[in-house]
Amino acid sequence: MKKKLKEDLEAALLKIKRLSNNGNKKTGFFIGNTVKIGQKGFYFMPIRETNIIVTSGTVVCDEKSAIEIAQTIDGNVDYVLVDVEKKIPSNNPNELANIEKVVREKIIKSKIWVYKANDITVDAIDLLLVQFTKNDSRGMGGKKVAIIGSGNIGSKIALKLVERGAKIFITRRDRKKLKLIAEAINLIKPLY
């Protein structure tokens, strides 16, 4: 394990343990993954505290980092929360890495919970828009919405809003993919 990762990981574990002991709370550690990462190959999430749990986490861009982190945190936290979306390349160029699998193989003592970060983001955006339109009897119906970026998150929110009756305008740099995504959304959307 890289020295900096190990030091930062141990410091985060100490801090969440201390905070959890002060409030008699559970501890958790997220292992997320992304294809967009800086030079280090990982970054740490901030420490978050609720009434029942204190968490921290990392976002990684390779299976090796996920394995090393899982080995270090197992038994040091109550819960390991793993992003199950397959986003990053594996050692086999024809496959995507399976962070969930490699973490499940290493976690023995802690409990595992899984999540999909992008879907949580889409749901949060959807709920926010519901709040913005709560006093409008049409809700999102008939609203014009521009979405800049129609990757995983943008295209999912576009579909949700089309299903609510909004008129959606999407864009992205890759015009060929943009056309395919727009066609797919138009194929899936309700008839009326």
Side-chain angles (χ1 to χ4, degrees):
M1 179 181 287
K2 297 174 188 168
K3 184 179 178 185
K4 178 73 172 143
L5 173 59
K6 185 172 179 63
E7 289 172 358
D8 290 348
L9 187 53
E10 289 171 355
L13 288 171
L14 282 172
K15 190 165 185 182
I16 62 174
K17 281 182 185 180
R18 184 176 40 81
L19 289 169
S20 70
N21 287 338
N22 289 344
N24 198 25
K25 299 176 182 182
K26 297 290 184 183
T27 56
F29 198 89
F30 287 84
I31 301 176
N33 69 98
T34 185
V35 294
K36 297 176 181 172
I37 200 108
Q39 293 176 337
K40 289 194 293 186
F42 66 92
Y43 64 88
F44 276 84
M45 298 176 189
I47 291 177
R48 301 187 193 279
E49 187 172 357
T50 71
N51 293 337
I52 60 171
I53 194 168
V54 180
T55 65
S56 185
T58 57
V59 177
V60 299
C61 67
D62 61 77
E63 287 175 315
K64 182 181 178 204
S65 295
I67 291 167
E68 292 172 346
I69 291 165
Q71 289 171 324
T72 302
I73 64 174
D74 187 32
N76 287 306
V77 292
D78 297 305
Y79 300 100
V80 177
L81 302 100
V82 183
D83 184 354
V84 296
E85 194 162 334
K86 312 306 183 240
K87 303 174 196 163
I88 59 178
S90 74
N91 296 334
N92 181 341
N94 299 324
E95 295 178 6
L96 289 173
N98 190 338
I99 298 299
E100 176 186 12
K101 176 181 177 282
V102 299
V103 169
R104 282 187 186 276
E105 290 172 350
K106 300 300 176 189
I107 298 297
I108 298 164
K109 299 173 187 164
S110 301
K111 291 182 177 139
I112 296 177
W113 288 349
V114 297
Y115 69 98
K116 283 183 66 185
N118 287 355
D119 288 357
I120 292 169
T121 302
V122 169
D123 289 342
I125 294 166
D126 188 43
L127 290 170
L128 178 65
L129 293 174
V130 166
Q131 290 302 305
F132 281 151
T133 59
K134 70 181 177 186
N135 295 326
D136 186 335
S137 61
R138 299 177 304 156
M140 288 303 298
K143 300 276 192 286
K144 292 181 181 177
V145 179
I147 299 174
I148 300 168
S150 54
N152 185 294
I153 294 171
S155 59
K156 286 178 179 178
I157 195 66
L159 179 59
K160 277 186 176 268
L161 297 178
V162 163
E163 291 172 340
R164 290 175 179 259
K167 184 171 178 120
I168 303 299
F169 301 89
I170 58 173
T171 187
R172 70 179 288 151
R173 285 182 286 238
D174 185 327
R175 294 291 191 208
K176 190 175 180 181
K177 285 183 181 179
L178 173 64
K179 185 177 182 204
L180 290 171
I181 291 166
E183 288 171 357
I185 291 170
N186 284 319
L187 283 171
I188 295 169
K189 73 180 182 185
L191 180 60
Y192 298 103

